[in-house]
Amino acid sequence: MPEKEKIVFCTGGGCTAKLGAGVLSHILEKLPRGEKDPNLLVGYDSRDDAAVYKITEDIALVQTVDFFPPMVDDPYTFGQIAAANALSDVYAMGGEVKTALNLVCFPESMDLNVLGEILRGGAEKVAEAGGILAGGHSIADTGVKYGLSVTGLVDPHHIYANDAGRPGDKLILTKALGVGLICTANRVGEAAPEHLAGAIQSMTTLNKTAAQISRKYAVHAATDVTGFSFLGHLHEMMGGKLACRVDARRVPVLLGAWEAADAFLYTAAGQRNRNHTGPFVRFENVPFAMEEILFDPQTSGGLLLAVAPQDADALEAELKKVGLPAAIVGKILEKEEKQPEITVIF
């Protein structure tokens, strides 16, 4: 078989290419709101993972879009990762994927076989999700970017909003952290092949199974952990009205991530995450490398679930049974005056 075509690595690929959360917040606050539509159940006000619009009493649309430059050299693998990342937002809202549209930016001077491999990887993930690839849009550009616009369905009475957690809820993370650090290490030739393979396996794994299992239990809130990091998305889950305590020793971490953090292979996006979310976090005896992992931007990361305490152990056990590195990593608390929003212990 001929050797697979490769694409040149784009600096800041994957979810590290996102604008910082602080920049987005400033811009969104200035956008015209228009008339409020009571059928828009979830918009950008809560900084949620996707929009939800009610069609009937029992059916609501879930709409999301995500695309970015590559973070791996193999175009087929990049297509899989980008698609899995975009599809994840529907799962984070408690929905099921129905249709997807390709979004492509591609240089006309580049071999079209590369584009074909990217689209093949994405199409396979849409099919695995049970969705239909229904079309798309392409732009001639100076660099490669790919992703999806995805539509799903959800019962409007069972939406997973990101900020609806309750005091006492346990926090469950379904995938290990560290893909940003490992991809950065790979870019400079410092990642062991097995560490990169582990990161790729994580990024190409759909959150479909985790979402399906979670629906059996009392999940009050959910998000997927992507570019704003574990702590950044956890900050959004607290919504300014809750607090939480995280045991960093229980947080699943990909092999190679700690070594990359110790070698100072940080991303600019990780430092933006620290600057934006750091003021809301208190660390107690947490090694600096672990801090960096918690601020590390994830691409196609896992679900972070706020689960009723009586269901948490059973949900964790069932997720582990299907091979996911899921773990109870913390607990939501009542927010008290002068208390940090997020306390991380080690």
Side-chain angles (χ1 to χ4, degrees):
M1 290 181 64
E3 185 179 349
K4 281 188 177 181
E5 295 280 354
K6 291 186 176 182
I7 43 182
V8 176
F9 179 85
C10 297
T11 303
C15 284
T16 65
K18 283 186 174 183
L19 290 171
V23 174
L24 290 176
S25 297
H26 180 69
I27 292 172
L28 290 174
E29 288 171 359
K30 295 184 176 182
L31 292 180
R33 300 287 174 156
E35 292 186 17
K36 185 173 178 61
D37 187 337
N39 290 317
L40 181 63
L41 304 181
V42 179
Y44 60 72
D45 289 346
S46 64
R47 298 174 180 84
D48 227 308
D49 297 291
V52 180
Y53 191 87
K54 186 170 76 170
I55 302 299
T56 70
E57 287 303 310
D58 299 314
I59 299 173
L61 287 178
V62 183
Q63 295 178 292
T64 187
V65 59
D66 213 316
F67 70 107
F68 45 59
M71 78 303 296
V72 293
D73 290 330
D74 179 59
Y76 170 72
T77 303
F78 168 55
Q80 288 186 307
I81 292 169
N85 183 78
L87 295 163
S88 183
D89 286 343
V90 173
Y91 298 130
M93 302 304 298
E96 296 182 355
V97 172
K98 291 301 176 183
T99 63
L101 303 173
N102 282 324
L103 296 170
V104 177
C105 297
F106 196 80
E108 290 185 315
S109 60
M110 188 175 283
D111 185 354
L112 286 178
N113 288 321
V114 173
L115 177 58
E117 285 295 281
I118 293 171
L119 296 180
R120 182 170 73 92
E124 288 185 7
K125 284 297 165 183
V126 173
E128 183 183 337
I132 298 170
L133 191 59
H137 186 68
S138 62
I139 294 289
D141 202 353
T142 55
V144 176
K145 302 177 187 70
Y146 172 66
L148 298 172
S149 172
V150 187
T151 299
L153 296 179
V154 68
D155 183 338
H157 304 100
H158 298 286
I159 297 168
Y160 288 175
N162 70 347
D163 61 351
R166 305 173 187 177
D169 282 353
K170 299 291 184 67
L171 295 165
I172 295 180
L173 179 63
T174 66
K175 283 188 185 181
L177 302 179
V179 297
L181 287 160
I182 293 171
C183 287
T184 299
N186 179 62
R187 180 164 60 89
V188 297
E190 295 293 330
E194 63 271 21
H195 295 162
L196 180 61
I200 288 173
Q201 181 180 17
S202 179
M203 290 187 287
T204 55
T205 298
L206 294 180
N207 282 321
K208 178 181 179 180
T209 299
Q212 288 174 335
I213 292 172
S214 74
R215 293 185 199 122
K216 303 177 185 178
Y217 300 91
V219 174
H220 297 141
T223 188
D224 62 335
V225 179
T226 53
F228 296 152
S229 78
F230 171 83
L231 289 175
H233 289 286
L234 185 56
H235 167 54
E236 292 178 342
M237 287 185 79
M238 297 303 99
K241 60 183 185 295
L242 295 167
C244 64
R245 187 174 180 87
V246 173
D247 185 348
R249 292 167 299 182
R250 293 187 57 85
V251 174
V253 177
L254 288 165
L255 292 176
W258 194 288
E259 292 87 340
D262 268 341
F264 304 105
L265 297 174
Y266 309 150
T267 62
Q271 303 320 298
R272 288 197 298 269
N273 289 338
R274 179 184 284 274
N275 291 338
H276 179 72
T277 308
F280 301 94
V281 183
R282 181 177 68 200
F283 293 105
E284 297 181 359
N285 302 314
V286 179
F288 191 76
M290 190 65 206
E291 290 186 21
E292 285 299 314
I293 290 167
L294 295 172
F295 283 121
D296 185 45
Q298 303 303 287
T299 299
S300 187
L303 299 179
L304 181 57
L305 308 168
V307 188
Q310 67 272 18
D311 282 358
D313 288 341
L315 175 52
E316 179 192 44
E318 188 167 354
L319 291 168
K320 285 181 177 295
K321 189 175 181 180
V322 297
L324 293 172
I328 298 171
V329 298
K331 181 178 180 179
I332 295 180
L333 309 169
E334 295 275 5
K335 195 173 190 313
E336 299 177 3
E337 191 176 355
K338 297 183 179 180
Q339 175 191 21
E341 182 179 83
I342 302 169
T343 299
V344 184
I345 64 170
F346 192 83

